[in-house]
Amino acid sequence: MGLFNWFTAKREPVFVWLTRQAKLSGIGRCVAEALADAKGPAAIFVTAHFQDTLNELVEGIDVEQCEGRVLLTKADALGAFSASQVAFDHTQPVLIIVAERHPLSVHDKAVSQFGSNLSSECQIVYHLSLEDPLMRPFAGEWVENVLRSLGMTEDQAIQSRMVERRLERALRRIEAEATGDQPADSAEEWLERNCPRQWKAQQR
């Protein structure tokens, strides 16, 4: 599939998929591709901020078939992982796949900090979909229709600085309007509890 040339990016790349299911399938292929690449990462952390997304990842990735090189965990539990949970040479590179963005930047920064603290070279990659609650306000059905008209299919992902910039603006707006950071099992539930104005806007 050739999604990513490992450890050549100067920033944290973001791949955008048409649908949530396409994103989950794409992450599964990304993991398989990385494991098969002789120059790929020695270990892969697949993580999500919310439990519902992690549950979907667990269903789609057979960790037992990954030779002990893959760990699926909540993002807020990354710092507490046991080295014995993933068998890898810490002198070799590590890949962190994040299956969503968090409405509050502090949580994504914590993932970045975890990667920086590793003794290994580390690449962090984000996978998003147009169906993610944080994407829907600015990347709705019309964006999907445009991308499909240009030939994009569900087994493809795009990298777009324009989409990333619009997402960053949306996240800053949510962060400014958030009334707290109550825990939630999904991004949509988080918005309902902590940023009701944005959540109500999405229900219209």
Side-chain angles (χ1 to χ4, degrees), residues 44-204:
I44 305 171
F45 294 88
V46 183
T47 188
H49 291 294
F50 298 103
Q51 187 64 47
D52 71 331
T53 304
L54 184 65
N55 292 343
E56 292 173 328
L57 291 168
V58 169
E59 290 180 7
I61 299 174
D62 188 349
V63 175
E64 292 184 0
Q65 300 298 316
C66 295
E67 303 172 352
R69 293 169 57 192
V70 176
L71 175 68
L72 280 82
T73 183
K74 285 276 297 301
D76 58 10
L78 276 170
F81 92 97
S82 167
S84 63
Q85 291 178 263
V86 179
F88 73 99
D89 181 348
H90 286 262
T91 66
Q92 298 300 309
V94 171
L95 173 66
I96 301 176
I97 297 174
V98 190
E100 59 198 350
R101 294 290 299 272
H102 196 283
L104 298 184
S105 61
V106 63
H107 294 281
D108 287 325
K109 289 177 180 176
V111 176
S112 298
Q113 187 61 54
F114 170 77
S116 298
N117 290 340
L118 291 174
S119 56
S120 306
E121 181 182 6
C122 178
Q123 177 67 66
I124 298 173
V125 181
Y126 282 86
H127 287 258
L128 312 176
S129 87
L130 298 184
E131 293 179 343
D132 290 354
L134 300 184
M135 298 284 281
R136 289 199 300 261
F138 67 89
E141 185 177 349
W142 71 272
V143 173
E144 179 180 347
N145 291 338
V146 168
L147 293 176
R148 287 187 185 277
S149 70
L150 294 174
M152 184 177 176
T153 61
E154 289 200 17
D155 63 348
Q156 296 174 317
I158 63 166
Q159 286 183 277
S160 169
R161 287 297 296 148
M162 179 192 71
V163 171
E164 289 182 41
R165 287 193 293 268
R166 295 187 69 176
L167 174 60
E168 293 300 331
R169 287 198 294 270
L171 289 174
R172 286 196 295 271
R173 185 165 60 248
I174 290 172
E175 196 156 22
E177 296 178 2
T179 58
D181 188 13
Q182 296 182 53
D185 287 332
S186 69
E188 189 162 8
E189 183 183 8
W190 189 96
L191 288 172
E192 182 180 8
R193 291 183 175 183
N194 299 285
C195 197
R197 182 173 178 273
Q198 287 292 326
W199 178 79
K200 288 177 182 177
Q202 291 194 27
Q203 307 311 304
R204 297 192 188 111

